[in-house]
Amino acid sequence: MGASSDIATHCPYCSLQCGVTMRPAAPRPPVIEPAEFPTNRGGLCAKGWSAAELLDHPDRLTTPLVRTDPADRRSPLRPATWAEALDRIVAAITASQRSHGPESVGCFGGGGLTNEKAYQLGKFARVALRTPNIDYNGRFCMSSAATAGNRAFGVDRGLPFPLSDIAEARTVLLVGSNPADTMPPAMQYFDAGRAAGASHIVVDPRRTATARGGTLHLQPLPGTDLAIANGLLHIAIREGHVDDGYVSERTTGFAAVRDAVAGYWPSRVERITGVDAGQLREAVRLLAEAPTAMILTARGAEQHSGGTDTAQAYINLALALGLPGRRYSGYGTVTGQGNGQGGREHGQKCDQLPGYRRIDDPAARAHVAGVWGIDPAELPGPGRSAVEMLDRLGTADGVRVMLVFASNILVSAPDRNRVRDQLRSLDFLVVSDIFLSETAAEADVVLPTAQWAEEEGTMTNLEGRVLRRQRVLSPPPGVHDDLTVLAMLADRLGRGRYFSPDPYTVFEELRRASAGGIADYAGISYERIEAEQGVFWPCPTPEHPGTPRLFTERFATPDGRARFIRVEHRDPAEQPDREYPYVLTTGRIMQQYQSGNQTRRARSLQFTAGDPRAELHPDLARRLGIGPSDLVELRTRRGRAVFRAHVTDTIRPDTVFVPFHWGGRASANALTDPTLDKHSRMPAFKVCAVAVTRIGGPDDGAVAVPPPAHPARNLPAELPKLAAT
């Protein structure tokens, strides 16, 4: 078969959404090749290369699963027909709402859902279930940066410029991000910048691959990034680097911020952060003297109880230097999940309607209700954010029946042991996934769903570029995608007339619902996306060219000006003490992704990242009697977890780093602090107090617990066939 038969689509993993091509014919899985798409330009990381391995994985769910004894969630799961599974779900929803009200049913979505599915899930919650209780795992990722962007600029789009602009910036300040490991194809733009003489400043408690390639590495104590930002602005003001004309013409609120940062003199910031005052001055010089400069933040700075204020502090610095809206300059945040941008725009957040509208805005309610064909009074109000919803599961005023789509809560949420207990307190749990995740293994009903190469839809990448995901091959017999499942459930609930299983139809409705909103997709069509290799929002009409670069003339605030907002450093909610003397921080590694429900099953990735490792400095390891590859137990105020020791001088001596991709006894989120950011409701994943103990040597068994296997793998072949009917 010739190259003309290749189908262009996109990698299922991170927010780059790298372009790939696949051939739909035998063999299955089809061959995947990187494409010359504007974001990846022929690049692809190990996760992307291995993505097709999962399409025919033996753990793949191909039938619904239900409990053998409906009254006992500990009884075995068995294959079932779709009719039986859906009937059980509808019976549970109906009984709960009859006894406890519509709000007793909730939905939990994911940043990996297509725009169509995220939109339809939000609509399903409000129209079919009539519940306010819906949120998604993006609350764990992007909510602090999104909140800060909305406050300062009036809009939240991760990068307000194309990714390729990074190559043209003469200085880049990168805070809490390691793209060399987490999104390697993006590094071509950083590499091109450095080759042209650019300076890169990396702020990270680890000397990561990204930091090693930079000009200057600031290595702070986790949880002190805001103090660094205020300290940098203090120096910029004192040394005359503020762009007074820009501040006067395009911003408000600078005076209060100037007064606040007056107290962040370099020696004080050095005491708070551990970063040398001379390095702070050098960072300001590099930023201020560059003709073009960018400040980029990511989860390392944002996943804190003060993450919104930290993002705002770096926005303040960018505004003072006159960067946002300037060519090849600005502030941006590096979105993580595949549809982390689009997934937070169209209604699966608890306070949101499509187009990034607020659900408590009467005009927004009227517009969306008109598109949906319902009375605005039928729409519920705001619900609870993700952690707050999870914290009240099974309680008198909480969700008692929950439907989960594309999220492995039991691995990704903070304080895993409490989350497990809350999930088990539900009256009924439904999980839709491609594999039996740790969360699905707790469910009453598990629904199989189509994978990325088996569905149609759109994704919105970290630049705000809306992309087309094309179907390469059909899902296994009897497997439906989530749009179809939501439509089938809505039909059984008597609201089927409001829902379509067809992605094109859903996207056309999304365009109308988003029209006039902040994230306006009205002018974006499937045809335009294919013809133009994606379209940047906002794009209000078919004639509009799209908006690759925001803020060139005004900000999206009522008066067109960006907002300086005064913010102060606060110590993390949890401090080290005698019992828990070190600082724990968490993050991603190159070979794994999110909760690992997919990547932990990829055969090729397991060769290089089979066991999760805790990074410890040699000084700390010596003090605790820990050698390379020893087994270590990490203990916090919430739980324990076991890792293999990786002794390295790339981390601070007072800090321990662990990846968060594993469940079981290597679950990082059995340790993490659920304290929430007061603005964004983001948990404090990136810092808590920890104790470390050696419990075994290099040969004392594996750490990683394999992800749950398909419970019906060894059942007679006729059962899955029956279940597909």
Side-chain angles (χ1 to χ4, degrees):
M1 181 171 294
S4 61
S5 299
D6 291 353
I7 294 177
T9 187
H10 295 272
C11 173
Y13 291 119
C14 81
S15 63
L16 280 182
Q17 285 298 286
C18 292
V20 299
T21 60
M22 301 179 74
R23 295 187 183 183
R28 183 183 173 108
V31 175
I32 188 169
E33 296 284 351
E36 286 295 330
F37 194 74
T39 48
N40 61 306
R41 293 180 178 174
L44 201 61
C45 76
K47 293 185 290 291
W49 280 108
S50 68
E53 291 179 20
L54 303 178
L55 294 170
D56 67 344
H57 196 282
D59 282 349
R60 179 77 186 274
L61 297 176
T62 57
T63 69
L65 303 173
V66 300
R67 294 293 168 184
T68 303
D69 179 355
D72 180 10
R73 199 180 292 162
R74 299 297 96 197
S75 67
L77 288 163
R78 65 163 175 83
T81 65
W82 277 97
E84 181 184 10
L86 296 177
D87 285 347
R88 285 198 187 190
I89 296 168
V90 170
I93 291 171
T94 304
S96 186
Q97 293 192 325
R98 186 184 302 117
S99 299
H100 307 291
E103 65 279 1
S104 69
V105 181
C107 297
F108 199 99
L113 294 172
T114 63
N115 290 319
E116 291 81 357
K117 292 191 290 185
Y119 168 86
Q120 183 124 304
L121 182 60
K123 180 182 176 183
F124 177 82
R126 278 100 184 195
V127 175
L129 298 177
R130 300 182 176 91
T131 181
N133 288 317
I134 176 172
D135 213 64
Y136 80 126
N137 63 16
R139 185 72 63 177
F140 304 153
C141 300
M142 294 302 305
S143 56
S144 290
T147 302
N150 281 320
R151 289 197 311 180
F153 304 130
V155 65
D156 157 39
R157 201 180 87 185
L159 295 185
F161 41 73
L163 186 67
S164 57
D165 280 9
I166 292 172
E168 306 299 329
R170 296 303 87 191
T171 295
V172 178
L173 173 62
L174 191 61
V175 188
S177 181
N178 181 21
D181 281 353
T182 59
M183 46 179 63
M187 288 305 294
Q188 61 185 290
Y189 301 106
F190 291 92
D191 294 343
R194 285 198 304 272
S199 298
H200 292 168
I201 309 160
V202 179
V203 181
D204 200 305
R206 302 162 64 216
R207 192 167 73 250
T208 63
T210 305
R212 290 195 295 272
T215 308
L216 183 64
H217 177 208
L218 312 185
Q219 195 167 15
L221 182 70
T224 63
D225 297 295
L226 192 156
I228 289 178
N230 278 2
L232 296 176
L233 182 51
H234 172 102
I235 295 168
I237 292 170
R238 191 178 65 184
E239 298 187 358
H241 295 306
V242 172
D243 187 333
D244 295 321
Y246 179 98
V247 168
S248 173
E249 296 168 10
R250 302 206 60 188
T251 73
T252 63
F254 177 64
V257 170
R258 181 187 57 210
D259 292 345
V261 302
Y264 289 81
W265 54 90
S267 60
R268 181 191 174 210
V269 174
E270 180 175 337
R271 287 195 300 273
I272 294 170
T273 67
V275 175
D276 181 78
Q279 287 189 308
L280 297 173
R281 294 188 182 92
E282 177 65 5
V284 172
R285 185 189 69 78
L286 291 172
L287 280 168
E289 293 181 359
T292 55
M294 291 179 179
I295 298 174
L296 305 176
T297 65
R299 305 306 80 70
E302 300 156 9
Q303 285 181 318
H304 297 269
S305 58
T308 300
D309 286 350
T310 298
Q312 181 65 54
Y314 285 96
I315 291 172
N316 289 343
L317 176 61
L319 290 173
L321 298 175
L323 304 181
R326 260 173 50 193
R327 189 78 166 181
Y328 305 133
S329 299
Y331 166 85
T333 180
V334 184
T335 301
Q337 291 196 76
N339 201 28
Q341 182 67 56
R344 66 184 188 262
E345 296 169 357
H346 297 300
Q348 65 172 337
K349 289 170 66 176
C350 66
D351 56 356
Q352 187 191 73
L353 289 172
Y356 225 127
R357 290 181 164 90
R358 292 187 58 88
I359 200 168
D360 56 3
D361 177 3
R365 293 169 66 87
H367 171 80
V368 173
V371 173
W372 289 350
I374 63 173
D375 190 303
E378 293 183 58
L379 288 171
R384 294 188 175 107
S385 70
V387 172
E388 292 165 312
M389 180 166 64
L390 295 175
D391 201 46
R392 291 171 175 81
L393 295 181
T395 63
D397 66 340
V399 167
R400 306 174 77 99
V401 173
M402 188 162 73
L403 288 74
V404 178
F405 292 83
S407 189
N408 190 8
I409 300 167
L410 199 49
V411 175
S412 62
D415 196 359
R416 172 193 181 273
N417 295 332
R418 175 167 174 76
V419 171
R420 179 197 58 212
D421 293 343
Q422 294 305 114
L423 287 173
R424 290 176 177 176
S425 72
L426 285 165
D427 294 338
F428 202 82
L429 175 62
V430 182
V431 176
S432 170
D433 213 322
I434 57 179
F435 298 116
L436 190 73
S437 68
E438 286 83 354
T439 307
E442 298 286 334
D444 295 273
V445 174
V446 182
L447 301 176
T449 190
Q451 288 203 54
W452 59 283
E454 302 163 350
E455 65 180 7
E456 295 276 346
T458 60
M459 308 283 278
T460 306
N461 77 350
L462 77 170
E463 313 162 293
R465 187 195 303 258
V466 185
L467 314 166
R468 178 87 184 277
R469 173 178 283 183
Q470 297 206 72
R471 188 180 195 179
V472 178
L473 68 168
S474 298
V479 173
H480 300 300
D481 64 28
D482 292 327
L483 288 181
T484 300
V485 171
L486 290 170
M488 291 193 296
L489 284 171
D491 189 57
R492 280 171 160 77
L493 292 166
R495 306 288 274 181
R497 65 188 181 278
Y498 297 107
F499 295 88
S500 170
D502 176 58
Y504 181 87
T505 302
V506 174
F507 187 76
E508 290 299 298
E509 183 180 286
L510 182 158
R511 293 174 63 189
R512 297 193 300 275
S514 73
I518 293 172
D520 191 335
Y521 284 31
I524 303 175
S525 65
Y526 278 15
E527 294 76 17
R528 279 196 68 182
I529 293 170
E530 288 191 42
E532 301 173 26
Q533 291 192 304
V535 181
F536 291 85
W537 70 260
C539 183
T541 67
E543 297 75 32
H544 191 281
T547 314
R549 295 178 179 84
L550 299 174
F551 316 141
T552 56
E553 296 179 2
R554 69 187 314 273
F555 295 95
T557 55
D559 62 3
R561 291 171 173 260
R563 277 31 176 176
F564 280 96
I565 298 175
R566 176 175 181 153
V567 291
E568 300 279 1
H569 166 75
R570 303 190 313 273
D571 287 336
E574 189 170 289
Q575 293 291 299
D577 58 18
R578 291 186 65 182
E579 186 175 3
Y580 304 100
Y582 311 110
V583 176
L584 176 69
T585 192
T586 68
R588 285 171 54 188
I589 61 174
M590 180 184 292
Q591 299 88 348
Q592 299 293 338
Y593 181 72
Q594 301 302 92
S595 76
N597 190 39
Q598 297 176 71
T599 50
R600 281 185 283 139
R601 300 176 200 267
R603 295 177 291 273
S604 59
L605 297 177
Q606 293 313 301
F607 291 126
T608 53
D611 252 355
R613 295 180 174 269
E615 295 184 6
L616 300 94
H617 191 276
D619 292 349
L620 178 58
R622 269 192 303 273
R623 190 180 316 141
L624 299 177
I626 295 169
S629 296
D630 280 353
L631 289 182
V632 295
E633 180 184 80
L634 274 56
R635 181 169 52 89
T636 71
R637 294 177 174 88
R638 287 152 297 280
R640 303 166 185 264
V642 177
F643 297 86
R644 189 75 62 191
H646 176 50
V647 180
T648 173
D649 65 0
T650 61
I651 192 164
R652 290 174 55 102
D654 53 6
T655 301
V656 179
F657 168 86
V658 295
F660 56 62
H661 311 290
W662 278 265
R665 67 173 183 158
S667 174
N669 282 324
L671 308 170
T672 47
D673 183 1
T675 300
L676 301 182
D677 182 295
K678 66 181 180 179
H679 303 293
S680 67
R681 319 313 289 166
M682 164 83 82
F685 288 106
K686 284 294 187 282
V687 60
C688 67
V690 67
V692 184
T693 306
R694 181 186 185 275
I695 61 170
D699 301 320
D700 289 341
V703 172
V705 176
H710 194 310
R713 184 188 292 176
N714 299 318
L715 291 177
E718 62 267 17
L719 283 178
K721 292 178 182 177
L722 171 67
T725 61

